Amino acid sequence: GFGYTVFERNVHQLRMELLQYVPLDDSIKLSRLKLTNDGASPRTLTVTYYVEWVLGPNRQLTAPFVATELDAGTGAVLARNPWKTQGAEQVAFADMGGMQTSWTGDRLEFLGAYGHLASPQGAKVKLSNRTGAGFDPCCALQSTLTLAAGETKEVVISLGAAVNAAEAQNLVNRYRSIQCDDVLQDVKLHWHQTLNATQVKTPDRSFDILMNGWLLYQTIACRMWARSGFYQASGAYGFRDQLQDCMALLSTRPEIAREHILRAAARQFSQGDFQHWWLPATGMGVRTRISDDTVWLANCVNLYVKVTGDASILEASLPFIEGQALMPGEHDAFFLPSPSEESATLYEHCARALDLSLTEGEHGLPLIGTGDWNDGMNRVGEGGKGESVWLGWFLLSTLRDFSSVAAARGDTTRVAKWINRIVNLQEALERDGWDGRWYRRGFFDDGSLLGSAQNEECRIDAIAQSWAVLSGGAKLDRATLAMQESYQQLLRPSDKLVLLFTPPFDKTDKDPGYIKAYPPGVR
């Protein structure tokens, strides 16, 4: 369900239910294990909870530095990594509602020599109560329960993190005494109010299930809050990434969108470009030559004002940041920027970024830099001459919409400059972006084609066709033909796939970037 997960199993006349959820306001995960003895005789059971501490980006790197201890006041097991570069004072904790009768912080003890999680040695014997430093760190908590015939008992387990030991103790004590059902109801009510603002009904039940909750739920829980994936676990904000995500929240949680728009705008260098991604705890991030970042803020802000009617956001005053410029030939640089003495309204942040996006290559198209929306095409324009057809459509649409915002503010100089670029850009897209049956993807630094019928690899790219339509800028007959070609070449109904482009990069002597390093069929 929204905000919670239930695992159920019946085995050997023992009914087990594990309910897990996270309260709205505290950094703690609750796991409620309910056991019911459906047999005719009493049962004595051992319940063991096991955690492998990471306390950093990678367990293999952090394990030697993680130390555990038993908190004398609560009996919970605490864990620290004092060698962390960020948050070294933080304390993680695990607790079994005070019911733990034995424990260990030694992973070797719990698993056993050559042991594994399918049959850990420590689940079968009483644990040693050993904690400290120098172990392969874990936390195993153990308790013994006796269930009469037909009896049900519940164990509430908490796993959390706090800014220090005192706060960890407060959380442990609070969630030992709190009514957990009330916490769960708060979680359910929150998601009900958030996700039920808009409901759709179509002939496709599976589509309705996704649209009426799950897509928006994932956008908030995974994208806006967790910001973590299988191979990206830093918790960083991506500049374009979360701006796109917050657009989905405008009709249901506009306050989240507003907060993030202002957060993202404050990561702008005074020259107009942005950190492509940054770590919120420190502000460290990467400065790049990726070209589409300068367009997303205005695109998102325009939609926010249109949907919410909250034009006051344009007057919000935000600082810029300062940092080292990229050297010639340098794709990116990771560093901690310094605060700028200059501040400006959100409107000025948007406008300054759009001014920077008015690049123009040999064919009159925007320069692709070291990647546009597809970061993997990072060497198409690394020499400073490669161009992007997709970015042309996106820029065309955004300039057209944001020119109305500028006109309403009397910014006539910018309006004139942007309208002139719109006219020239639309001509360039139809003149050099059209390939005969679909729109090209762009041009390499040397002027050779990308996303053309002349290419053996990446002959047609979906993004250039879809945005020819989404931008409203393409000629109708061409846009229609381009979408027909997309259906024919990019859809594989039998495989239930829609391809980004085809054929995949593999053996071409052209080097589009790191996207070519992926095997065909991946990314």
Side-chain angles (χ1 to χ4, degrees), residues 487-514:
Y487 286 132
Q488 292 176 13
Q489 299 191 50
L490 296 172
L491 263 65
R492 291 185 178 176
S494 61
D495 298 322
K496 297 184 178 180
L497 288 176
V498 183
L499 306 181
L500 296 180
F501 58 83
T502 195
F505 288 113
D506 187 18
K507 296 179 171 56
T508 177
D509 58 358
K510 303 299 292 185
D511 183 9
Y514 71 80

Side-chain angles (χ1 to χ4, degrees), residues 212-285:
N212 293 333
W214 286 112
L215 293 179
L216 196 61
Y217 175 78
Q218 284 293 90
T219 299
I220 297 174
C222 176
R223 300 287 303 164
M224 297 301 297
W225 290 349
R227 302 187 305 279
S228 184
F230 179 69
Y231 62 95
Q232 291 179 323
S234 70
Y237 284 105
F239 184 76
R240 80 164 80 90
D241 299 6
Q242 274 72 42
L243 281 175
Q244 293 171 351
D245 296 328
C246 76
M247 290 187 202
L249 310 178
L250 297 181
S251 64
T252 179
R253 293 295 301 275
E255 73 280 6
I256 295 180
R258 191 182 203 278
E259 178 185 20
H260 183 70
I261 287 169
L262 299 179
R263 179 189 295 120
R267 308 317 300 174
Q268 184 179 30
F269 294 96
S270 58
Q271 293 82 1
D273 59 318
F274 299 89
Q275 286 181 307
H276 187 60
W277 58 261
W278 73 94
L279 297 162
T282 63
M284 293 187 70

Side-chain angles (χ1 to χ4, degrees), residues 4 12 24 32 45 93 127 137 153 217 234 290 293 296 319 329 333 351 354 396 403 489 511 522:
Y4 67 94
H12 302 306
L24 295 176
R32 300 169 62 182
L45 305 168
F93 61 88
L127 299 173
K153 288 186 178 180
Y217 175 78
S234 70
I290 291 173
D293 283 347
W296 280 108
L354 284 178
L396 178 73
S403 291
Q489 299 191 50
D511 183 9
V522 178

Side-chain angles (χ1 to χ4, degrees), residues 158 229 417:
S158 61
K417 179 171 58 175

